[in-house]
Amino acid sequence: MPDGAGLAGSAGIWVLGTFGAYLLILIGIGLWASKMMDTVGDYVIGGRQIGPVVTGFSERASEMSGWLTLGVPANAYGTGIMAFLNGLGMIPADLLAWAGLAKRLRKYTEIVKSVTLPTFFATRLQDDTGMVKGVSAIVLMLFEGGYVGAQIVAAGTLLQILTGVEPWVGIVVGGVIVVGYTMLGGYFAVAWSDYFQGAIILVAFIILPIIAFTNFGLPFNDLASVGGGSFTSITAGATGWAAVFGIISYAAIGLGVPGNPHIMVRFMGIDRVKNVRLAAMVAQLFMFVAYIGAALVGLYAILAFGQGDLAQADNAMPRLTLSLLPGPIAGIVLAAALAAMMSSADSQLLVATSAIVEDVYHGFMNKQATEQQLVRYSRYVTLGLGGASIAFAYLAKSTPIYTLVLDYAWGGLGAAIGPTLIAALWWKRVTAKGSVASMVVGATTMVVWTQLGSVLDALGIMPAQEASPFLYNLVGVYGLFPAFILSVITLVSVSLVTKPPSGVEDHFDVFDKPLSQVTSQPGSGTPSYVTDGGRDVSPKAITEADNIRAHVVESGYWNDE
């Protein structure tokens, strides 16, 4: 242990003990879920059997994790009430995704038996060249692989801060556990572990502000006298173009929602189309309460420890937890915060695995592979990718976690995948060539823009703030904003000058019909499984037994003449 102790002090033993017990629970979930792995669809999207409450929690937990538990409180500790703007883009973006994308994606991917976005794109855009599937799979492997490493870095770093153990211990132990239960249980294990972690974090961000309120009262009057009033300014005291681009940067974070596949697979994996509404309500309630609670934790940290007195702003949430909660309870909350980072890593690991096994291996190398082979290879690939991510995490342990996440992984996926996904579900004129060009432009712009300020500085042509406040602040705007715009412009321009796929009207008819009506059309055959089967047709199926009975009748088994 460096210096002999960590931030948690005597509570460190509770953190380590609770974290160890928590990891054993995750392994138990992985072993339980491993019994349900019959097909690659089971492994990647849980066989479309995950209910709305678990799906709603899982969708939010897989995305927010370390950003919510440490990032938002740290942001509030550094900027004040401006941190509430973290929800400015995310809440409406996620709500629009549930309302405008979830049902269409869920229906279409089941009908064409697609369990990944690259395969969905190739089918919808009728791309026989493999370009759409190949480029989108490469984008997923690169950015999601980096995402996994970033989360493991975060878990290892926080464990070191709290307990004093060397960072590699947290990286290796956390990495091995997350790879282990993901490899064993696939999407089932990922979804249920997300639910478990998300519930603890949500309770923590409800209880912590309440306890802080009993100690300090409402924080706003006290904050008005700190930092010259900037902590009670919604722009943190910024004015002019700095304020405008600051707000745009917060709002632009939401543009990443439709492009991040670990969120979209929740839409694909929900058990019934009609449960999308309930899952959306659960997710929105989770996010609304969690964002407010996390920002309040950061504000109360200012009152408890003083503005700027914490060595690292990321310590705001752990420090307030340790100061307000007794050791055992603080240990549970902080262990859940550690594990929440892994809840993102497991989801991203699964998406990267599916891109390699389903889209590359099954799509290009061995189209006749059996389901048993695909499940087995998926586990091998998860193990290999996990090992590579642990190595990446060790090498990148000194890089700021939120640079890795927001500037590359989240932004890269959002700019490359998001416009194509939205267009594939809503715009009949989109083409395969337009999508490929859009993905390349979006991913490239995100990476280049993130380095733009440093490059301009090195070349000596960075605009001075005093001479041109517009250009100076434009260079500093969150890269997803320009990358998403350029990606959309490219998608539309190239699509309009290239030949669209034929029969698109039939594709869009599918979106507007009940799933069971499509799968029961003459000539479609008896579906292998239809999770909404029988519920929207006559006679209605009331129970699963009715549903099974309808399939038996349709099979003609008893019509032996």
Side-chain angles (χ1 to χ4, degrees), residues 232-318:
T232 50
S233 164
I234 198 61
T235 62
T239 58
W241 286 114
V244 171
F245 285 117
I247 292 173
I248 288 176
S249 292
Y250 273 110
I253 296 175
L255 295 174
V257 170
N260 274 261
H262 55 278
I263 298 176
M264 294 300 110
V265 295
R266 267 64 188 176
F267 301 161
M268 296 159 63
I270 193 169
D271 59 348
R272 297 175 185 172
V273 175
K274 71 176 185 179
N275 283 339
V276 165
R277 180 176 300 177
L278 176 57
M281 291 175 60
V282 171
Q284 297 307 303
L285 183 62
F286 180 126
M287 184 160 53
F288 187 75
V289 173
Y291 265 130
I292 292 177
L296 285 173
V297 165
L299 297 182
Y300 279 118
I302 298 173
L303 301 186
F305 311 116
Q307 185 267 323
D309 286 355
L310 293 181
Q312 297 182 34
D314 284 349
N315 293 346
M317 182 269 188

Coordinates of all heavy atoms in Angstrom, one line a residue, residues 232-318:
T232 N -23.9 29.7 -7.8 CA -25.3 29.8 -7.9 C -25.7 30.4 -9.3 O -26.9 30.7 -9.5 CB -26.0 30.6 -6.8 OG1 -25.3 31.9 -6.7 CG2 -25.9 29.9 -5.5
S233 N -24.7 30.5 -10.2 CA -25.0 30.9 -11.5 C -25.2 29.7 -12.4 O -24.3 28.8 -12.4 CB -23.9 31.8 -12.1 OG -23.9 31.9 -13.5
I234 N -26.2 29.7 -13.3 CA -26.4 28.5 -14.1 C -25.4 28.4 -15.2 O -25.3 27.3 -15.9 CB -27.8 28.6 -14.7 CG1 -28.3 27.2 -15.3 CG2 -27.9 29.6 -15.8 CD1 -28.4 26.1 -14.2
T235 N -24.6 29.4 -15.4 CA -23.5 29.3 -16.4 C -22.1 29.4 -15.6 O -21.1 29.6 -16.3 CB -23.5 30.5 -17.4 OG1 -23.4 31.7 -16.7 CG2 -24.8 30.4 -18.2
A236 N -22.1 29.1 -14.3 CA -20.9 29.2 -13.5 C -20.2 30.5 -13.6 O -18.9 30.5 -13.6 CB -20.0 28.0 -13.9
G237 N -20.9 31.6 -13.9 CA -20.3 32.9 -14.0 C -19.8 33.3 -15.3 O -19.4 34.4 -15.6
A238 N -19.9 32.3 -16.3 CA -19.4 32.6 -17.7 C -20.5 33.5 -18.4 O -21.7 33.4 -18.1 CB -19.2 31.3 -18.4
T239 N -20.0 34.3 -19.3 CA -20.9 35.2 -20.0 C -20.5 35.1 -21.5 O -19.5 34.6 -21.9 CB -20.7 36.7 -19.6 OG1 -19.4 37.1 -19.7 CG2 -21.2 36.8 -18.1
G240 N -21.3 35.7 -22.4 CA -21.0 35.8 -23.8 C -20.9 34.4 -24.5 O -21.7 33.5 -24.1
W241 N -20.0 34.3 -25.4 CA -19.8 33.1 -26.1 C -19.4 31.9 -25.2 O -19.7 30.8 -25.5 CB -18.8 33.3 -27.3 CG -19.4 34.1 -28.4 CD1 -19.0 35.3 -28.9 CD2 -20.5 33.7 -29.3 NE1 -19.7 35.7 -29.9 CE2 -20.6 34.7 -30.2 CE3 -21.3 32.5 -29.4 CZ2 -21.6 34.7 -31.2 CZ3 -22.3 32.5 -30.3 CH2 -22.4 33.5 -31.2
A242 N -18.6 32.2 -24.2 CA -18.2 31.2 -23.3 C -19.4 30.5 -22.6 O -19.5 29.2 -22.5 CB -17.3 31.7 -22.2
A243 N -20.5 31.3 -22.3 CA -21.7 30.7 -21.7 C -22.5 29.9 -22.7 O -23.0 28.8 -22.5 CB -22.5 31.9 -21.1
V244 N -22.6 30.5 -23.9 CA -23.3 29.8 -25.0 C -22.7 28.5 -25.3 O -23.4 27.5 -25.4 CB -23.4 30.7 -26.3 CG1 -24.0 30.0 -27.4 CG2 -24.2 32.0 -26.0
F245 N -21.4 28.4 -25.6 CA -20.8 27.2 -26.0 C -20.7 26.2 -24.8 O -20.7 25.0 -25.0 CB -19.4 27.4 -26.6 CG -19.5 27.9 -28.0 CD1 -19.0 29.2 -28.3 CD2 -20.1 27.2 -29.0 CE1 -19.0 29.7 -29.6 CE2 -20.1 27.6 -30.3 CZ -19.6 28.9 -30.6
G246 N -20.7 26.8 -23.6 CA -20.7 25.9 -22.4 C -22.0 25.1 -22.3 O -22.1 23.9 -22.1
I247 N -23.1 25.8 -22.5 CA -24.5 25.2 -22.5 C -24.6 24.2 -23.7 O -25.1 23.1 -23.5 CB -25.6 26.3 -22.5 CG1 -25.5 27.1 -21.2 CG2 -26.9 25.7 -22.7 CD1 -26.5 28.3 -21.2
I248 N -24.1 24.6 -24.8 CA -24.2 23.7 -26.0 C -23.4 22.4 -25.7 O -23.9 21.3 -26.1 CB -23.6 24.4 -27.3 CG1 -24.6 25.5 -27.7 CG2 -23.3 23.4 -28.4 CD1 -24.0 26.3 -28.9
S249 N -22.3 22.5 -25.1 CA -21.5 21.4 -24.7 C -22.2 20.4 -23.8 O -22.2 19.2 -24.0 CB -20.1 21.8 -24.1 OG -19.3 22.4 -25.0
Y250 N -22.9 21.0 -22.8 CA -23.7 20.1 -21.9 C -24.8 19.4 -22.7 O -25.1 18.2 -22.6 CB -24.3 20.9 -20.8 CG -23.4 21.1 -19.6 CD1 -22.8 22.3 -19.3 CD2 -23.2 20.0 -18.8 CE1 -22.0 22.4 -18.2 CE2 -22.4 20.1 -17.6 CZ -21.8 21.3 -17.3 OH -21.0 21.5 -16.2
A251 N -25.5 20.2 -23.5 CA -26.7 19.6 -24.3 C -26.2 18.6 -25.3 O -26.9 17.6 -25.6 CB -27.4 20.8 -25.0
A252 N -25.0 18.8 -25.9 CA -24.5 17.9 -26.9 C -24.2 16.5 -26.4 O -24.1 15.6 -27.2 CB -23.2 18.5 -27.6
I253 N -24.0 16.4 -25.1 CA -23.7 15.0 -24.5 C -24.8 14.1 -24.9 O -24.6 12.9 -25.2 CB -23.5 15.1 -23.0 CG1 -22.3 15.9 -22.7 CG2 -23.4 13.7 -22.4 CD1 -22.1 16.2 -21.2
G254 N -26.1 14.6 -24.9 CA -27.2 13.8 -25.3 C -27.2 13.2 -26.7 O -27.9 12.2 -26.9
L255 N -26.5 13.9 -27.6 CA -26.4 13.4 -29.0 C -25.8 12.0 -29.0 O -25.9 11.3 -30.0 CB -25.6 14.3 -29.8 CG -26.2 15.7 -30.0 CD1 -25.2 16.6 -30.8 CD2 -27.5 15.6 -30.8
G256 N -25.1 11.6 -28.0 CA -24.4 10.3 -28.0 C -25.4 9.1 -27.7 O -25.0 7.9 -28.0
V257 N -26.6 9.4 -27.2 CA -27.5 8.3 -26.8 C -27.8 7.3 -28.0 O -27.6 6.1 -27.9 CB -28.8 8.8 -26.2 CG1 -29.8 7.7 -26.0 CG2 -28.5 9.5 -24.9
P258 N -28.3 7.8 -29.2 CA -28.7 6.8 -30.2 C -27.5 6.1 -30.8 O -27.7 5.1 -31.5 CB -29.4 7.7 -31.2 CG -28.9 9.1 -31.0 CD -28.6 9.2 -29.6
G259 N -26.3 6.6 -30.6 CA -25.2 5.9 -31.3 C -24.4 4.9 -30.4 O -23.5 4.3 -30.9
N260 N -24.8 4.8 -29.1 CA -24.1 3.9 -28.2 C -24.8 2.6 -28.2 O -25.9 2.4 -27.5 CB -23.9 4.5 -26.9 CG -22.7 5.4 -26.8 OD1 -21.7 5.1 -26.3 ND2 -22.8 6.7 -27.3
P261 N -24.2 1.5 -28.8 CA -24.9 0.2 -28.9 C -25.3 -0.4 -27.6 O -26.2 -1.2 -27.5 CB -23.9 -0.6 -29.7 CG -23.1 0.4 -30.4 CD -22.9 1.5 -29.5
H262 N -24.4 -0.2 -26.5 CA -24.8 -0.8 -25.3 C -26.1 -0.3 -24.7 O -26.7 -0.9 -23.8 CB -23.6 -0.7 -24.3 CG -23.2 0.7 -24.0 ND1 -22.3 1.4 -24.9 CD2 -23.5 1.6 -23.1 CE1 -22.1 2.6 -24.4 NE2 -22.8 2.8 -23.3
I263 N -26.5 0.9 -25.2 CA -27.9 1.4 -24.8 C -28.9 0.8 -25.8 O -30.0 0.3 -25.3 CB -27.9 2.9 -24.9 CG1 -27.0 3.5 -23.9 CG2 -29.3 3.4 -24.6 CD1 -26.9 5.0 -23.9
M264 N -28.6 0.7 -27.0 CA -29.6 0.2 -28.0 C -29.9 -1.2 -27.8 O -31.0 -1.7 -28.1 CB -29.0 0.5 -29.4 CG -28.9 1.9 -29.8 SD -30.4 2.8 -29.8 CE -30.2 3.9 -28.4
V265 N -29.0 -2.1 -27.4 CA -29.3 -3.5 -27.2 C -30.3 -3.7 -26.1 O -31.0 -4.7 -26.1 CB -28.0 -4.3 -26.9 CG1 -27.0 -4.3 -28.0 CG2 -27.3 -3.8 -25.6
R266 N -30.5 -2.7 -25.2 CA -31.6 -2.8 -24.2 C -32.9 -2.8 -24.9 O -33.9 -3.4 -24.5 CB -31.5 -1.7 -23.2 CG -30.7 -2.0 -21.9 CD -29.3 -2.3 -22.2 NE -28.6 -2.8 -21.0 CZ -27.3 -3.2 -21.0 NH1 -26.6 -3.1 -22.1 NH2 -26.8 -3.6 -19.9
F267 N -33.0 -1.9 -26.0 CA -34.3 -1.9 -26.7 C -34.5 -3.2 -27.4 O -35.6 -3.6 -27.6 CB -34.2 -0.7 -27.8 CG -34.0 0.6 -27.2 CD1 -33.5 1.7 -28.0 CD2 -34.2 0.9 -25.8 CE1 -33.3 3.0 -27.4 CE2 -34.0 2.2 -25.3 CZ -33.6 3.2 -26.1
M268 N -33.4 -3.8 -28.0 CA -33.6 -5.0 -28.7 C -33.9 -6.2 -27.8 O -34.4 -7.2 -28.2 CB -32.3 -5.3 -29.5 CG -32.0 -4.2 -30.6 SD -30.2 -4.1 -31.1 CE -30.0 -5.7 -31.8
G269 N -33.4 -6.1 -26.5 CA -33.5 -7.3 -25.7 C -34.8 -7.3 -24.8 O -35.0 -8.3 -24.0
I270 N -35.6 -6.3 -24.8 CA -36.8 -6.3 -23.9 C -37.8 -7.3 -24.3 O -37.9 -7.7 -25.5 CB -37.5 -4.9 -23.9 CG1 -38.5 -4.8 -22.7 CG2 -38.1 -4.6 -25.2 CD1 -39.0 -3.4 -22.5
D271 N -38.5 -7.9 -23.4 CA -39.3 -9.1 -23.7 C -40.5 -8.8 -24.6 O -40.8 -9.6 -25.5 CB -39.8 -9.8 -22.4 CG -40.6 -8.9 -21.5 OD1 -40.7 -7.6 -21.8 OD2 -41.2 -9.3 -20.5
R272 N -41.2 -7.7 -24.4 CA -42.4 -7.5 -25.3 C -42.3 -6.0 -25.7 O -41.9 -5.1 -25.0 CB -43.7 -7.7 -24.5 CG -43.8 -9.1 -24.0 CD -45.1 -9.3 -23.2 NE -45.2 -10.6 -22.7 CZ -46.1 -11.0 -21.8 NH1 -46.9 -10.2 -21.3 NH2 -46.1 -12.3 -21.4
V273 N -42.8 -5.8 -26.9 CA -42.9 -4.4 -27.5 C -43.7 -3.5 -26.6 O -43.4 -2.4 -26.3 CB -43.4 -4.4 -28.9 CG1 -43.6 -3.0 -29.4 CG2 -42.5 -5.2 -29.8
K274 N -44.8 -4.1 -26.1 CA -45.7 -3.2 -25.3 C -45.1 -2.8 -23.9 O -45.6 -1.9 -23.3 CB -47.0 -3.9 -25.0 CG -47.0 -5.1 -24.1 CD -48.4 -5.7 -23.9 CE -48.3 -6.8 -22.8 NZ -49.7 -7.3 -22.6
N275 N -44.0 -3.5 -23.5 CA -43.4 -3.1 -22.3 C -42.4 -2.0 -22.4 O -41.8 -1.6 -21.4 CB -42.7 -4.4 -21.7 CG -43.7 -5.3 -21.0 OD1 -44.8 -4.9 -20.7 ND2 -43.3 -6.6 -20.9
V276 N -42.2 -1.5 -23.6 CA -41.2 -0.4 -23.8 C -41.6 0.8 -23.0 O -40.8 1.5 -22.4 CB -41.2 -0.1 -25.3 CG1 -40.5 1.3 -25.6 CG2 -40.4 -1.1 -26.1
R277 N -42.9 1.1 -23.0 CA -43.4 2.3 -22.3 C -43.0 2.2 -20.8 O -42.5 3.2 -20.2 CB -44.9 2.5 -22.4 CG -45.5 3.7 -21.7 CD -46.9 3.9 -22.0 NE -47.2 4.0 -23.4 CZ -48.4 4.2 -23.9 NH1 -49.5 4.2 -23.2 NH2 -48.6 4.3 -25.2
L278 N -43.3 1.1 -20.1 CA -43.0 0.9 -18.7 C -41.5 1.0 -18.5 O -41.0 1.7 -17.5 CB -43.5 -0.4 -18.2 CG -43.2 -0.7 -16.7 CD1 -43.7 0.4 -15.8 CD2 -43.8 -2.1 -16.3
A279 N -40.7 0.4 -19.3 CA -39.2 0.4 -19.2 C -38.7 1.9 -19.3 O -37.8 2.3 -18.6 CB -38.6 -0.5 -20.2
A280 N -39.3 2.6 -20.3 CA -38.9 4.0 -20.5 C -39.2 4.8 -19.2 O -38.4 5.7 -18.8 CB -39.7 4.6 -21.7
M281 N -40.4 4.6 -18.6 CA -40.7 5.3 -17.4 C -39.8 5.0 -16.3 O -39.3 5.9 -15.5 CB -42.2 5.0 -17.0 CG -43.2 5.5 -17.9 SD -44.9 4.9 -17.4 CE -45.1 5.6 -15.8
V282 N -39.4 3.8 -16.1 CA -38.4 3.4 -15.1 C -37.1 4.1 -15.4 O -36.5 4.6 -14.4 CB -38.2 1.8 -15.1 CG1 -37.1 1.5 -14.2 CG2 -39.5 1.1 -14.6
A283 N -36.6 4.1 -16.6 CA -35.3 4.7 -17.0 C -35.4 6.2 -16.7 O -34.4 6.7 -16.2 CB -35.0 4.4 -18.4
Q284 N -36.4 6.8 -17.1 CA -36.5 8.3 -16.9 C -36.6 8.7 -15.4 O -35.9 9.7 -15.0 CB -37.7 8.9 -17.6 CG -37.7 8.7 -19.1 CD -36.4 9.2 -19.8 OE1 -36.1 10.3 -19.6 NE2 -35.7 8.3 -20.5
L285 N -37.3 7.9 -14.7 CA -37.4 8.2 -13.2 C -36.0 8.0 -12.6 O -35.6 8.8 -11.8 CB -38.4 7.3 -12.6 CG -38.7 7.5 -11.1 CD1 -39.2 8.9 -10.8 CD2 -39.7 6.4 -10.5
F286 N -35.4 6.9 -13.0 CA -34.0 6.7 -12.5 C -33.1 7.9 -12.8 O -32.4 8.4 -11.9 CB -33.5 5.4 -13.1 CG -32.1 5.0 -12.7 CD1 -31.9 3.7 -12.2 CD2 -31.0 5.8 -12.8 CE1 -30.6 3.3 -11.9 CE2 -29.7 5.5 -12.4 CZ -29.5 4.2 -12.0
M287 N -33.1 8.3 -14.0 CA -32.2 9.3 -14.4 C -32.5 10.7 -13.8 O -31.6 11.4 -13.3 CB -32.2 9.5 -16.0 CG -31.2 10.5 -16.5 SD -30.9 10.2 -18.3 CE -32.5 10.2 -19.0
F288 N -33.8 11.0 -13.7 CA -34.2 12.3 -13.2 C -33.7 12.4 -11.7 O -33.1 13.4 -11.3 CB -35.7 12.5 -13.3 CG -36.2 13.8 -12.9 CD1 -36.0 14.9 -13.7 CD2 -36.8 14.0 -11.7 CE1 -36.5 16.2 -13.3 CE2 -37.3 15.2 -11.3 CZ -37.1 16.3 -12.1
V289 N -34.1 11.3 -10.9 CA -33.7 11.3 -9.5 C -32.2 11.3 -9.3 O -31.6 12.0 -8.5 CB -34.4 10.1 -8.8 CG1 -33.9 10.0 -7.3 CG2 -35.9 10.3 -8.8
A290 N -31.5 10.5 -10.1 CA -30.1 10.3 -9.9 C -29.3 11.5 -10.3 O -28.4 11.9 -9.6 CB -29.6 9.1 -10.8
Y291 N -29.7 12.2 -11.4 CA -29.0 13.4 -11.7 C -29.1 14.5 -10.7 O -28.1 15.2 -10.3 CB -29.5 14.0 -13.1 CG -28.7 13.5 -14.3 CD1 -29.3 13.0 -15.4 CD2 -27.3 13.7 -14.3 CE1 -28.5 12.6 -16.5 CE2 -26.5 13.2 -15.3 CZ -27.2 12.7 -16.4 OH -26.4 12.3 -17.5
I292 N -30.3 14.7 -10.2 CA -30.5 15.7 -9.1 C -29.8 15.4 -7.9 O -29.1 16.2 -7.2 CB -32.0 15.9 -8.8 CG1 -32.7 16.5 -10.0 CG2 -32.3 16.7 -7.6 CD1 -34.2 16.7 -9.9
G293 N -29.9 14.1 -7.5 CA -29.2 13.6 -6.3 C -27.7 13.8 -6.4 O -27.0 14.2 -5.5
A294 N -27.1 13.4 -7.5 CA -25.7 13.4 -7.7 C -25.2 14.9 -7.7 O -24.1 15.2 -7.1 CB -25.3 12.8 -9.1
A295 N -25.9 15.8 -8.3 CA -25.5 17.2 -8.3 C -25.6 17.8 -6.9 O -24.7 18.5 -6.5 CB -26.4 18.0 -9.3
L296 N -26.6 17.4 -6.2 CA -26.8 17.9 -4.8 C -25.6 17.4 -3.9 O -25.1 18.1 -3.0 CB -28.1 17.4 -4.2 CG -29.3 18.2 -4.7 CD1 -30.6 17.6 -4.2 CD2 -29.3 19.7 -4.2
V297 N -25.2 16.1 -4.1 CA -24.0 15.6 -3.4 C -22.8 16.5 -3.6 O -22.1 16.8 -2.6 CB -23.8 14.1 -3.8 CG1 -22.4 13.7 -3.3 CG2 -24.8 13.2 -3.3
G298 N -22.6 16.9 -4.8 CA -21.4 17.8 -5.1 C -21.6 19.1 -4.4 O -20.6 19.7 -3.9
L299 N -22.8 19.7 -4.4 CA -23.0 21.0 -3.8 C -22.8 20.9 -2.3 O -22.2 21.8 -1.6 CB -24.5 21.5 -4.1 CG -24.8 21.7 -5.6 CD1 -26.2 22.3 -5.7 CD2 -23.8 22.7 -6.2
Y300 N -23.4 19.8 -1.7 CA -23.2 19.7 -0.2 C -21.7 19.4 0.1 O -21.2 19.8 1.2 CB -24.0 18.5 0.3 CG -25.5 18.9 0.5 CD1 -26.5 18.4 -0.2 CD2 -25.8 19.9 1.5 CE1 -27.8 18.7 0.0 CE2 -27.1 20.3 1.7 CZ -28.1 19.7 1.0 OH -29.4 20.1 1.2
A301 N -20.9 18.8 -0.8 CA -19.5 18.6 -0.6 C -18.8 20.0 -0.4 O -17.8 20.1 0.4 CB -18.9 17.8 -1.7
I302 N -19.2 21.0 -1.1 CA -18.7 22.3 -1.0 C -18.9 22.9 0.4 O -18.0 23.4 1.0 CB -19.3 23.3 -2.0 CG1 -19.0 22.8 -3.5 CG2 -18.7 24.7 -1.8 CD1 -19.7 23.6 -4.5
L303 N -20.1 22.7 0.9 CA -20.4 23.2 2.3 C -19.7 22.3 3.3 O -19.2 22.9 4.3 CB -21.9 23.1 2.5 CG -22.8 23.8 1.6 CD1 -24.3 23.7 2.1 CD2 -22.4 25.3 1.5
A304 N -19.5 21.0 3.1 CA -18.9 20.2 4.1 C -17.4 20.4 4.2 O -16.8 20.3 5.2 CB -19.2 18.7 3.8
F305 N -16.7 20.5 3.0 CA -15.3 20.5 3.0 C -14.6 21.8 2.5 O -13.4 22.0 2.5 CB -14.8 19.3 2.1 CG -15.4 18.0 2.4 CD1 -16.2 17.4 1.4 CD2 -15.3 17.4 3.6 CE1 -16.9 16.2 1.7 CE2 -15.9 16.2 3.9 CZ -16.7 15.6 2.9
G306 N -15.5 22.7 2.0 CA -14.9 24.0 1.5 C -14.6 23.9 0.0 O -14.2 22.9 -0.5
Q307 N -14.8 25.0 -0.6 CA -14.6 25.1 -2.1 C -13.1 25.0 -2.4 O -12.3 25.8 -1.9 CB -15.2 26.3 -2.6 CG -15.1 26.4 -4.2 CD -13.9 27.1 -4.6 OE1 -13.4 28.1 -4.0 NE2 -13.3 26.7 -5.8
G308 N -12.7 24.0 -3.2 CA -11.4 23.8 -3.6 C -10.5 23.1 -2.6 O -9.3 23.0 -2.8
D309 N -11.0 22.7 -1.5 CA -10.2 22.1 -0.4 C -9.9 20.6 -0.7 O -9.0 20.0 -0.1 CB -10.8 22.3 1.0 CG -10.7 23.7 1.4 OD1 -10.0 24.5 0.7 OD2 -11.3 24.0 2.5
L310 N -10.7 20.0 -1.5 CA -10.5 18.6 -1.8 C -9.3 18.5 -2.9 O -9.3 19.3 -3.8 CB -11.7 17.9 -2.4 CG -12.9 17.7 -1.5 CD1 -14.1 17.1 -2.2 CD2 -12.5 16.9 -0.3
A311 N -8.4 17.6 -2.6 CA -7.3 17.5 -3.5 C -7.8 17.1 -5.0 O -7.2 17.6 -5.9 CB -6.3 16.4 -3.0
Q312 N -8.8 16.3 -5.1 CA -9.3 15.9 -6.4 C -10.8 16.1 -6.3 O -11.5 15.6 -5.3 CB -9.0 14.5 -6.7 CG -7.5 14.3 -6.9 CD -7.2 12.8 -7.3 OE1 -8.0 12.2 -8.1 NE2 -6.1 12.3 -6.9
A313 N -11.4 16.7 -7.3 CA -12.9 16.9 -7.3 C -13.6 15.5 -7.3 O -14.7 15.4 -6.8 CB -13.3 17.8 -8.5
D314 N -13.0 14.5 -7.9 CA -13.6 13.2 -8.0 C -13.8 12.6 -6.6 O -14.6 11.6 -6.5 CB -12.7 12.3 -8.8 CG -12.9 12.5 -10.3 OD1 -13.8 13.3 -10.7 OD2 -12.1 12.0 -11.1
N315 N -13.2 13.1 -5.6 CA -13.3 12.6 -4.2 C -14.6 13.2 -3.5 O -14.9 12.8 -2.4 CB -12.1 13.0 -3.4 CG -10.9 12.3 -3.9 OD1 -10.9 11.3 -4.6 ND2 -9.7 12.7 -3.4
A316 N -15.3 14.1 -4.2 CA -16.4 14.7 -3.5 C -17.5 13.7 -3.0 O -17.9 13.7 -1.8 CB -17.1 15.7 -4.4
M317 N -17.9 12.8 -3.9 CA -18.9 11.8 -3.5 C -18.3 10.8 -2.4 O -19.0 10.6 -1.4 CB -19.4 11.1 -4.7 CG -20.5 10.0 -4.5 SD -19.8 8.4 -4.1 CE -21.2 7.4 -4.1
P318 N -17.1 10.2 -2.6 CA -16.6 9.3 -1.6 C -16.4 10.0 -0.2 O -16.8 9.5 0.8 CB -15.3 8.8 -2.1 CG -15.4 9.0 -3.6 CD -16.3 10.2 -3.8

